[in-house]
Amino acid sequence: MTFATIILYCFIGLTLLSALYIAFTKNVLYAAFALILTFLGVAGIFMLIGAGFIAISQILVYVGGILVLIVFGVMLTNRLKGQQVTTPSYNKLLGLLVSGGLLFIFYKAIIEANFGAIKWIESAQPESPGLESFGMKLMTDYVLAFEVIGLLLLLALIGAVKIAAGARKEVEDAS
Amino acid sequence: MISLLQSNNASDLKDQLGNLSEDVWMLAPEISVVIALLLLLGFDLLFKKNKEIGLASIAFCGLASTFVILTFQWTNFSTDLMIMGNLLRYDQLSVFLKLIFSLGGALGLIIAARNGEKNNLFQTGESLVILFGLFLGVFLMTMATNLLMIYLSIEVVSICSYMLTGILKGKRKAEAALKYLLFGAVSSAVMLYGISWLYGFTGTLDVTSQAFISGLSEVSVLPLTIALIMTIGGIIFKLGAVPFHIWSPDVYQAAPTAIVSIFSTLPKLAALTLLFRVINVLPAGLFDWQLILGVVAIASMIFGNFSALWQKDAKRMLAYSSIAHAGFLLVGLVAYTEAGNTSMLFYGAMYLVMNVGAFLLIAILERRTGSAAFDDMRGLGMKMPFLGILVVIVMIALTGLPPTVGFNAKLYVFSAIWEAYQVQNNSILLWVFILGLLNTVVALFYYLKLPYYLFFKTGEKTVLEKSSIPDHIWGTIMVLPLLIWFFQSEWLMNVLNSINFVF
Amino acid sequence: MPVEHLVILGAILFCIGLFVVLTRKNAIAVLIGVELMLNASNINLVAFSHFDPDLLQGQVFALFVITVAAAEAAVALAIVVKVYQYFQTADLDKISELKG
Amino acid sequence: MIELKDLLAPNAFDPLIYWILALFAFPLLSFFTTGLLKDKASVWSSLLLGINTCISGYIAVTYWGEMGTSLKGTWFEIGGTVFNYSFLLDNAALIMLVIVNFISLLVHIFSAEYMRHDKAKPRYYAFLGLFTFSMLGIVLFHNLLFIFIFWELVGLSSYLLIGFWFEKKSASLAANKAFIMNRIGDLGFLTGLMILYTQFETLDLGAIEFMMGESQIEDGNWVVTYFSNGKEVIHVLDGRWLSAAGIALFCGAVGKSAQFPLQIWLPDAMEGPTPVSALIHAATMVAAGVFMLSRVFVLLDAQALEVIAIVGAITALMAAVAALSQFDIKKVLAYSTVSQLGYMVLAMGVGAYDAGLFHLFTHAFFKAGLFLSAGIIIHQLHGLESEGVKFNTQDMRVMGGLKQHLPITFACFVICSLSLAGLPGFSGFLSKEAILINTHAWSVEKGGGYYLIELMAFATVILTAFYIMRAVMLVFTGKFRLPELTGVSDIAGKLKEGNRTLLIPVVILALLSLSFAFGSTFDAETSWLHKAVETPSGAMVPTKYAAVGQAEMLESAGADHIWLAVVSIGLALAGIIAALLIYKPGAKLAEAFDSKREPVSPLVQVSFYHWYQDVLYTKVILKFILTQSKMLAWFDEKILDGCVNLLARTQVVVAHLTGMFDRYIIDGFVHLTAFTSGKVGQLTRSIQTGNVQTYILSAIAMLIMLLLWFAF
C-alpha cells in the first residue's frame, strides 16, 4: 500500500464520517459545515485519482458557491435569536428502511458486477491526463454542452433573482 | 500518449472544428430559439413600461422563424447524421417533433395572451425568457443520444420548469414550485446515479456506439437492471408516468394555465422520444424493458384515470388525465413495431393538439368564473353554448371516441399493440391491451363530468366577462382539426409513415 | 486501490443523501441531502473516468453535474425564500396545501 | 388463395360516391345550420331532408338489382395494415335508405306542427339531422368498424333526443337508462369485432364474407387461410369462437333493438317527443340491430342462430304480455315495438333472413303510423290544457270516444292497428305470416322443445291483436272521459281534428300499411319487396356449423302453409273479437277501467310492471353497482390516495412498533407519558398527504419494488 493510497482511504473516511454526521445531526448549520468536510473529502479523492481540475471545481463551486448559498438560505429562513437552528426529523424508520434496503441492493449489485473485471476497465492503463487535453475536450467534443450549460446558468440566475427578489413585496401585496 | 498527441495535431483539430462548424447548420432551429431568448432579454432590459406587445411579437416571431427553418429542414432532409461530436442525432424524428413543438409552444403563448391574467406572462420578460429556455431544452431532448446530453437537456427543461412554476405571484405557486423542485432534484439524482453505472459498465457515454452495446451485454442482471431502471426513471419523471408522477397534480393545479398546457405536452413527448432512443439501442433479450414499460404504462393508466375520477378541479383532473395519457403514449412504445412507433408519434401529436385545446378552453372558462373548480362552472354551457360545445368535443377527443381524432389515435396504438401481441406473443402486451381498453371506459366518466357540469347543472354564479369573438375563433381553430383529422388522418399518417425509425 | 471501493463509497453516500432527503423536515436540509446524492454520482463518474484517460468523458460529465447542481441550488434557495415569505416556515410538513 | 390486399383494394372510380357524399352531407348540413335559424328551422331542415329523400329515391331506382353495388377505398395505412372503408348498396340497403329518409322526412313535417311552440326547436331539428346522418352511416357502410362508429353516433343522438326535455327528471333518467343499456350491448359488439379482427385482420364485411366462404371447420377448429402482404397466414381458432363472435355481435343488436334482457330502456325512452318515438324508437334505430344481423348473417352459425331465435321469441312474448295492461298509450306502442322487434330477431334466428327484413320494412310504416296518430291525439289533448286544467295527455284513461272528434286519425290508427294485428289485406299480415311459416318449419326440423318457440310466436299473435284492439277501443269508443275527470264540461267541444301538417304524414303511412303497397294480398312470396332481399347462400357458412338449409325446411313445411295462415288469422281475429267484447262501451271491464289506478290482481301486475324486470335490475344490478362503486371508493381511499396513504399507514404501524420498542426497552418507563404524546402528535402530522417527502418516499419505494421484481 503506497502512501497515496493511505491518504485516499483517509479522504474516504473523512467523506463517510462527515456524511454520517449530516445524517444524524439535528442542527442545520452544523450539517452545512459538515457538508464542507464531505465536499473536501470528495475533492481530495478526485485529486488523488487524477482529476485535479474537477477537484478544484468541486471546491470552488461547492464550497465557494453552493455552500454559501445554503448558509444564506439557513439564515434567511430562520429567525436567529440565539437559539440553535435545528430541524426535527420524521419518517426515520421508514427512511432508514428504504435507504438501507437500497444500499443493500446496491452492495449486492456492486459485488455481482465486479467492476474491476469489466473489460474496458481491466484493459485500461490508468494515467492522469493533462489539463490541456481536458480543456481541448471541452472546446471541441463538448462545446455544445458547454454552451448550453452557460445558457442554463444565465437562466437560473435570472429566474432566481426574479423569484427571490419580489417575494417579500408580493406577500405584502397579497395580505 | 499517442492518442493525446493525435488530438493535439493541428490539422486534425482543424478538421474537427470544421466539422463542428458544419454541424452548426443543423442546429439552426436551436440557434433561432436562443436568438429569440436573447432578444427578449435585451428588450426587457431596454424598456421599462408597456412591454407586452414588443415581447409578444419577439416571442411569436422567434417561434415562427424556428418553424420556418424546421420546415425547410424537413423538406430538404437528406440523411440521418450524428452531429456535434456525436452528442446529438439529426434525423426526421427530431425535426418532426421540433416542428410540432414550435407549434405547441405558439399555441401555449396564445393561451397566455388570451388568458388575460393580471400577472400575465407578457408583462415581464423573465418568464418568457425562461420559457424559451424550456423550448431549447425540449429541442435538445429530441436529439440527444449521448448520456451527458440526455442529462443536460433534461436538467435544462426541469430547472426552467421549476422557475416557471414559481415565478408568478401566489402562495400555491410557490408551494408547487418547491415540491416540484425537490421531487425533480431527487429524480435527476437517481437518474444520474444510474447513468454513472452505465458509464462504468461500458466506458462510453454515447448510447449509439458499439462499445455501449457490447459493454451492456457483459454485465450480469442485477446491476444492469438497477442502472437501466434508475436511468429510465429520470426520463419517466419528465414523462410524468408512475412511479415518478406524483408531482404533476400539484404543479398543474397551481401553475398558470398557459404554462401547464406546455408542461403537459412538450416535455412529455420529448421524454418519450428519449425513452424511444435509449430502448432502441438495447440489444434484444438483454433486458425485458417491454415488461417494465408495460407495467409502468398500466400503472400510469390506472393511477391517472382512477384518481381523476374524484377530482373537483378541472386543471387537477387534466393533470391526472395527463398521467393516464403518459400511459397511453407508452403503449405504442411497448408494442415495439413499426406500426407501434408510428402510432405512438401520431398519438403524441394528437395529444398535443387535444391537450393544448383543452387548456385553452379551460383558460377561457377560468377567466369567466375566476376558478377552474367544477362547481363554479355549473350551467356555463347554457350561457355560452358555442364554447360549451367546443369543450364537449375536446373532452370526447380526450376520451377517444369518434368522431374525433382521439379515436383514431387510440385505435392506432391499440391495434398496434394487438398486432404486436399476435406476433411476439408476449403476455404483457395482452395485459396492456386489455387494461388499456378498460381504462378508456373509465376515462369516459370523468371527461364527461365537465360537459355535464356545463350543461346539466344550473349555477347561480354570475359570469365575470362575456365571451368574446377572438375566444370563439381560437377555440374553433383548436377544435376543428380534431374533427377534420378524424376523417383525414391519412395525410398526417403519410407524413409519419415517411419517417425512418431505423436507428 | 480497487475501483469497487470508490463505487461502494458512492453507493453509501447516495443512500445517506436519500436518508437525509426523506427524514429532514427543513427544506434546506433536504437540499443538502440532494447535494450528497449528486456527489455520489460524481464519485462514480470520476472513478470510472480514471480508466478512460483518452476521452475523459466521466470527468467532463462530473464538471457539468457540478455546474448544474449550482444552478439548481440557486433556483432552489430562491424558491425556498419565497415559500418562507408565504408560509413563515421552511418545514416541508407544513407546506402541504396542495393535496388530494 | 386470396390475397387480403386484393380484397381490400379500392375499386375504380364510381360517380356514385358523390351521391353517397351528398346523402351524408344534407342531414349533416341540417345538423350544423338549423341552430342558426330560429323559426324557420322546421322548413329548412324539412327541405334538406326532402332533397335527401329524392336523392335516395333516385339511387334506389338506378342501382336496384340482384348483386348490389359496392364501393371501396383506403382510409389510411399504418405499418402495412390497411384500414379501408366500403359501401354496399344492395337491395336491402336501398330499401332501408329510402325508408330512413322518407320516414325522417314525414317526421320532420309532422314535427313542424307538433313542436311549434317549443323554444328549443332548432336544437330538436339539429338532433334529428344528426340522427338521420348517423343512421345513414349504418345503412350504407359495409365495414364493421364504420358501422360501429355510426352505431355509437346513433346511440348518442338517441340519447340526446330521449333527453330532449332534460328539465324533466324522468326524461334525463330515461336517457341515461337507454345510454347504459346500449353501452352494455355495445361491449358485446366490440368483443365480436375483436374476434373477427383476430381471425380476418380486417373488418371489411365484403372481405369477411368472401373469406368466410373459404374458411373451414376442421376437427372443431375454425381455420381461415389467406395471403397477407404476400405471406400465407393460417388463423386457427377453436370453432366455438365462431359461435362466440356471432353471439357477441348479437349482443349489440340486443342493446339497440331492445331485446331481452336489455329491452327495458325502450318503454322509458317514450319520454322523448312523440315524433322522435315514431322515427327512432319504432321505425329506424331499433331496426338497426336487425339490419346489422342481416349484414353479418353469413357469420352466424347454428349455435348463435339458436340463441338469437330463443331471445327473439322470449322478447316477443314478454313484451306482448306487458302491452296488455298499460294505461299510457305510448307505453302500449313501445311494448308492441319491442314485441315486433322480437319477431324480427326470431326470424333472423330461424334463418328466415328475407322474412325478418320484410317485417322490418312493413313494421317501419305501420308502427310509425301508429306513433304519429298517437302523437296527434296527444298534441290535440295538450291543446286542451290550460292554467287550471292539467292532466296526463298520454293516459288512455282520459281519452275515450275520440272517434267523433278525430275521425281521420281514427281511420289511420285502425288501419295501422289491423296491420299490426296481422289481418289479410294489410302489410303486417304478409311479413308476419312469412315469419310464422319459417318458425314452424324450423321447429319441425329441430323438433322436441323447439316447438315451444313456435308456440310462443303464435301466442304472441293473439296477444298482439288483443292489446292493440284494446287500445283502439279505449281511445276511440265509448264516451270522452276527460270532462268528467277534470270537471270542466265544455272541454269536449274544444277537441278538434289535427291540421293538415299533422294529418298528411299519418295518412301516407296508413296507406303504406295496406298490403297492396307491397304488391301482394295473401302470399308474402309474391311480394316484390320480399323477392328483392334474398338470403345469402348457405354455402358460405361452414357446412358442419350451418343452419339447416332454409330451402329444405320450407319445402318440408310447405304443405302446412295454408292451415298456418288460417290458424294465424283465426288467432288474430280471436284476439280482436275478445278485445271488442271486453272493452265495448258499457261492458263491465270498460266501465271499471277509468276508475282504476293501479292493477290489483297479481297476474295483471306482472304484465303492468313488465315482469318486474326493472325492479329486479334496480334491486340486483343497481345494488351491485353501488357496492362496486363503494369498492371503487374504497379502492381510491385505501390504495390510490397514494401509496402515500398506504405508506403513511405502514408508517403508523411501524412507528407504533418503534414507539413500543422505545417505550419498553430503551427509554424504560421514565419519560413514558411525555414521549408517547409527542410521538402521537408527530405521527398524526406525518399522515398528512401533500408532503413532498412522502411523495419522494413512495416514488423511491415503488422504484425499489420494481427493482426487486425484475432483479430477483
Side-chain angles (χ1 to χ4, degrees), chain C residues 45-98:
Chain C
L45 286 170
V46 174
F48 294 133
S49 185
H50 188 51
F51 303 92
D52 187 11
D54 169 24
L55 296 166
L56 284 169
Q57 301 172 92
Q59 288 199 27
V60 176
F61 206 137
L63 185 66
F64 282 111
V65 173
I66 292 174
T67 326
V68 168
E72 209 167 51
V75 173
L77 288 160
I79 293 175
V80 170
V81 168
K82 182 166 182 170
V83 168
Y84 182 75
Q85 297 293 340
Y86 274 110
F87 288 83
Q88 291 301 312
T89 177
D91 278 4
L92 289 170
D93 61 338
K94 296 190 185 98
I95 308 169
S96 52
E97 280 191 359
L98 293 162

Side-chain angles (χ1 to χ4, degrees), chain D residues 619-665:
Chain D
K619 280 266 158 63
V620 179
I621 295 180
L622 226 62
K623 198 161 200 180
F624 176 71
I625 290 173
L626 277 181
T627 351
Q628 194 85 332
S629 66
K630 262 185 212 147
M631 268 168 62
L632 271 182
W634 175 87
F635 188 65
D636 177 64
E637 195 183 311
K638 295 270 151 85
I639 295 165
L640 294 175
D641 258 1
C643 260
V644 180
N645 244 336
L646 197 74
L647 274 170
R649 267 159 220 269
T650 343
Q651 239 171 301
V652 178
V653 176
V654 171
H656 269 296
L657 289 176
T658 32
M660 261 143 70
F661 186 76
D662 280 348
R663 236 180 330 178
Y664 294 120
I665 294 159

Side-chain angles (χ1 to χ4, degrees), chain B residues 334-462:
Chain B
V334 172
Y336 199 49
T337 54
E338 183 84 5
N341 296 340
T342 320
S343 61
M344 170 187 80
L345 218 50
F346 185 87
Y347 196 104
M350 288 308 110
Y351 167 70
L352 185 134
V353 178
M354 293 187 284
N355 223 31
V356 173
F359 277 112
L360 172 81
L361 293 170
I362 298 272
I364 292 173
L365 294 179
E366 207 180 355
R367 197 165 89 232
R368 303 280 175 279
T369 60
S371 97
F374 284 136
D375 271 343
D376 292 336
M377 298 200 176
R378 278 183 296 187
L380 268 187
M382 283 301 174
K383 287 171 191 148
M384 301 181 286
F386 188 75
L387 285 174
I389 287 169
L390 292 182
V391 172
V392 175
I393 295 174
V394 169
M395 290 299 149
I396 286 176
L398 282 169
T399 321
L401 291 180
T404 60
V405 75
F407 173 75
N408 301 42
K410 286 229 164 67
L411 179 73
Y412 299 159
V413 288
F414 282 115
S415 52
I417 196 126
W418 179 245
E419 266 166 32
Y421 169 66
Q422 288 183 322
V423 176
Q424 302 168 14
N425 231 334
N426 188 343
S427 64
I428 184 69
L429 298 180
L430 184 65
W431 283 111
V432 171
F433 178 75
I434 294 171
L435 292 171
L437 277 186
L438 287 179
N439 266 293
T440 311
V441 180
V442 175
L444 184 71
F445 289 98
Y446 67 83
Y447 280 127
L448 292 186
K449 207 165 166 183
L450 186 54
Y452 179 75
Y453 272 81
L454 286 180
F455 283 105
F456 291 114
K457 292 233 168 179
T458 44
E460 311 79 47
K461 191 145 180 154
T462 46

